[in-house]
Amino acid sequence: MEKAIIVAIADNYAIGRANALLWHLSDDLKYFKKVTSGYPVLMGYMTYKSIGRPLPGRHNIVSTWYPFDAPEELDVVFSLEECFSHARKYFNDNGIRESERKVFVMGGGETYRQALPTADTLYITHVHTVVEDADTFFPVIDPAIWKVESTTPVAVDPETGYGYEFTIYTRK
């Protein structure tokens, strides 16, 4: 089972402020949907709370120590390893071939920090700005551990003026 992380990060690795995204980039949201559709997605409780509902077209798993009234279509787990066990069960129950088994970690900051040491692939949207007042950051991507598999040319978002590119990293 491939363990992937998907995130949009600023040049200073900022990813959030006050439990909210730092920008709204239409192409990034479309990319996220395209890449994660049909796969299990793991998120922390605060990320789930900020979205407010399970994401359609994906098996949603929330990792939390905080008990809450979860909708039936949401798996609630208490550790990252339990999340991966739920994803394996989902794959087995649905007869998904080993070569197609991928789970996406989609936030937030603490969940990314825990998942990075065991991740196989990073789907990073590099947003070319610096957010000084951010309060949540992605861990530094160490080039001794990660290699660039592919990257797109820099595009510019017409609403924000931010340049961005989609980069896929694989573990060396």
Side-chain angles (χ1 to χ4, degrees):
M1 174 175 70
E2 181 182 340
K3 298 173 184 174
I5 289 176
I6 188 163
V7 62
I9 63 174
D11 291 335
N12 64 338
Y13 287 84
I15 60 171
R17 179 180 47 241
N19 201 39
L21 295 175
L22 299 172
W23 43 69
H24 177 90
L25 303 176
S26 179
D27 285 348
D28 181 51
L29 296 173
K30 290 174 189 169
Y31 178 76
F32 174 87
K33 183 177 181 178
K34 176 183 162 196
V35 169
T36 63
S37 286
Y39 293 103
V41 290
L42 164 68
M43 65 196 95
Y45 173 73
M46 294 303 287
T47 298
Y48 172 73
K49 187 175 172 186
S50 73
I51 297 168
R53 62 179 173 76
L55 294 175
R58 301 158 192 89
H59 181 74
N60 289 250
I61 306 168
V62 174
S63 178
T64 181
W65 55 267
Y66 183 80
F68 70 102
D69 221 7
E72 186 177 304
E73 66 269 29
L74 192 70
D75 278 354
V76 178
V77 299
F78 302 99
S79 72
L80 201 55
E81 192 46 52
E82 192 178 353
C83 159
F84 295 134
S85 292
H86 275 249
R88 279 186 206 91
K89 181 179 180 335
Y90 167 80
F91 293 136
N92 291 336
D93 290 350
N94 290 285
I96 297 171
R97 293 189 308 249
E98 190 64 39
S99 63
E100 298 174 357
R101 295 180 177 205
K102 185 184 301 188
V103 59
F104 283 93
V105 176
M106 55 171 280
E110 178 61 20
T111 305
Y112 286 136
R113 187 190 64 73
Q114 291 176 19
L116 190 60
T118 63
D120 302 302
T121 310
L122 307 176
Y123 291 79
I124 307 291
T125 302
H126 288 282
V127 181
H128 298 298
T129 187
V130 172
V131 182
E132 297 294 343
D133 62 344
D135 59 19
T136 308
F137 295 84
F138 191 78
V140 172
I141 301 168
D142 184 347
I145 298 171
W146 299 99
K147 68 176 180 178
V148 173
E149 190 70 30
S150 67
T151 193
T152 62
V154 174
V156 176
D157 179 67
E159 298 294 316
T160 64
Y162 295 152
Y164 63 91
E165 58 200 309
F166 304 114
T167 303
I168 299 173
Y169 296 84
T170 54
R171 186 174 289 280
K172 288 184 176 178

